[in-house]
Amino acid sequence: MKKILALVMAMTMGMGLVACGSSTSADTAADTTTETTESTDAAADTTAADGDASYLIGICQLVQHPALDAATQGFKDALTEEFGDAVQFDEQNAQGDSNTCSTIITDFVSEGTDLILANATAALQAAQAGTSDIPVLGTSVTEYGVALGIDDFNGTVGNNISGTSDLAPLDEQAAMLQDAKNVGLLYCTAEANSQYQVDTVQAALEKLGYTCTQYGFSDSNDLSSVATTAADASDVLYVPTDNTVANNTELVNNICEPKKVPIIAGEEGICSGCGVATLSIDYYDLGVATGKMAVQVLKGEANISEMPIEYAPQFTKEYDADRCEALGITVPDDYTAIEG
């Protein structure tokens, strides 16, 4: 193996969904039924930290995934720390089906929730379509302008929507690649935020002199064939915070590792499953930041229409030790091994 990656940092992460974020088709077939995963009981007369009040928060999470799960938990912990037993959560998981997100949001509107957390892009898009009155906070969303169809996005959505982004510096992610000539960009074409990330990374890589080719697949059914083509033609692959890849990392790894093709990933979960390195954020901390925004909205301390999108405060250069050893990759000292 030609030591393709000295891994000099910088490509970005994302998102969401695992991150990152992005819309996902109904690849999970029959099991798209939503389920309430947790509800914290609260009596109507419970005293909240700021007076007599109780709050019902609807949580719509696109799919079960470690990054999204961590963001949801951080959000809930921040609100519980502030309001104690006076906050209750109706937590629903769409099992990867964007249409189910719409059903969940409709239910939240019917029951009159005080605020909605939309975890991942498809959930945010459903919330945008489903209500213009209930405050909506997104998280694990990479780029709000792309996700919500806003031209010339200036950092503030306006109306009833704000939130947090899992976007890490894409130019820095691009800089993680060294000594590679041909870079393949593998992503799901159904996920708008994935398209945004690969376009941005490609521009950064081409400025650095790399030859880039995008390998888009429509859903999990053609991921295997497209990943095989990409691995055969590339020295290294970049995968953004793409939900479909996040749910199929074993498949991607089984294609790329035997071919000795390393993958730079958009977030830690994908990196653990099939990558060698990533520029990672802490999704729990991102959820906490979103929860703190929710506290401000619920207490009337901030107008959600004026709240700019917030970003992760710091990023960590991480690598998968076993995979790097298997591929003969030398890791710089400023990288941290992914635990577990």
Side-chain angles (χ1 to χ4, degrees):
M1 155 108 198
K2 21 185 177 171
K3 293 183 181 176
I4 285 179
L5 301 180
L7 295 180
V8 179
M9 182 93 214
M11 253 168 161
T12 296
M13 126 187 238
M15 334 172 258
L17 203 234
V18 241
C20 118
S22 9
S23 59
T24 303
S25 60
D27 296 330
T28 38
D31 188 23
T32 57
T33 303
T34 62
E35 57 182 26
T36 302
T37 57
E38 179 176 342
S39 178
T40 303
D41 293 332
D45 59 352
T46 304
T47 300
D50 60 339
D52 292 334
S54 61
Y55 303 102
L56 175 61
I57 309 299
I59 299 176
C60 178
Q61 182 173 316
L62 173 62
V63 67
Q64 186 172 4
H65 179 271
L68 303 189
D69 293 347
T72 290
Q73 190 61 53
F75 174 81
K76 291 163 59 180
D77 287 351
L79 282 163
T80 301
E81 181 179 356
E82 179 67 29
F83 298 120
D85 290 338
V87 62
Q88 57 181 350
F89 303 100
D90 184 355
E91 185 178 349
Q92 303 276 347
N93 193 304
Q95 303 297 328
D97 184 0
S98 57
N99 292 324
T100 303
C101 287
S102 298
T103 302
I104 293 171
I105 297 299
T106 298
D107 290 343
F108 289 162
V109 172
S110 297
E111 65 182 323
T113 55
D114 296 296
L115 184 141
I116 293 172
L117 174 70
N119 192 344
T121 299
L124 181 67
Q125 292 168 333
Q128 180 194 39
T131 179
S132 58
D133 299 318
I134 299 173
V136 174
L137 290 173
T139 194
S140 311
V141 176
T142 303
E143 218 287 328
Y144 281 71
V146 172
L148 300 178
I150 303 172
D151 295 330
D152 301 321
F153 180 61
N154 64 4
T156 301
V157 176
N159 301 318
N160 63 320
I161 297 175
S162 188
T164 57
S165 168
D166 61 3
L167 181 66
L170 291 168
D171 57 338
E172 291 185 29
Q173 279 196 342
M176 293 175 77
L177 295 168
Q178 285 195 341
D179 302 327
K181 294 181 179 179
N182 299 309
V183 180
L185 307 166
L186 181 68
Y187 70 103
C188 180
T189 56
E191 303 188 26
N193 275 312
S194 294
Q195 183 71 66
Y196 169 81
Q197 289 175 79
V198 298
D199 287 344
T200 304
V201 167
Q202 179 171 345
L205 287 171
E206 288 178 344
K207 285 183 180 179
L208 296 172
Y210 297 102
T211 299
C212 299
T213 304
Q214 294 189 11
Y215 294 92
F217 56 91
S218 59
D219 55 36
S220 59
N221 293 320
D222 63 341
L223 172 56
S224 179
S225 61
V226 174
T228 299
T229 299
D232 287 340
S234 307
D235 298 322
V236 60
L237 295 181
Y238 169 72
V239 176
T241 55
D242 186 285
N243 287 310
T244 308
V245 174
N247 288 329
N248 293 276
T249 55
E250 182 177 2
L251 181 155
V252 175
N253 186 62
N254 288 341
I255 292 171
C256 294
E257 188 168 335
K259 296 177 182 292
K260 302 293 184 182
V261 178
I263 295 173
I264 299 296
E267 57 93 18
E268 183 182 286
I270 295 176
C271 187
S272 296
C274 62
V276 295
T278 184
L279 183 61
S280 179
I281 69 169
D282 188 316
Y283 276 82
Y284 178 85
D285 289 345
L286 192 70
V288 169
T290 316
K292 290 180 178 179
M293 295 176 74
V295 169
Q296 289 183 293
V297 172
L298 293 171
K299 295 177 70 172
E301 296 174 351
N303 183 338
I304 194 169
S305 68
E306 299 174 354
M307 299 177 79
I309 301 304
E310 296 186 11
Y311 294 83
Q314 60 185 17
F315 310 97
T316 303
K317 301 174 184 179
E318 296 184 327
Y319 71 99
D320 184 282
D322 292 340
R323 200 166 289 113
C324 284
E325 182 178 359
L327 296 178
I329 293 171
T330 301
V331 182
D333 293 337
D334 59 343
Y335 278 73
T336 301
I338 297 173
E339 298 180 0

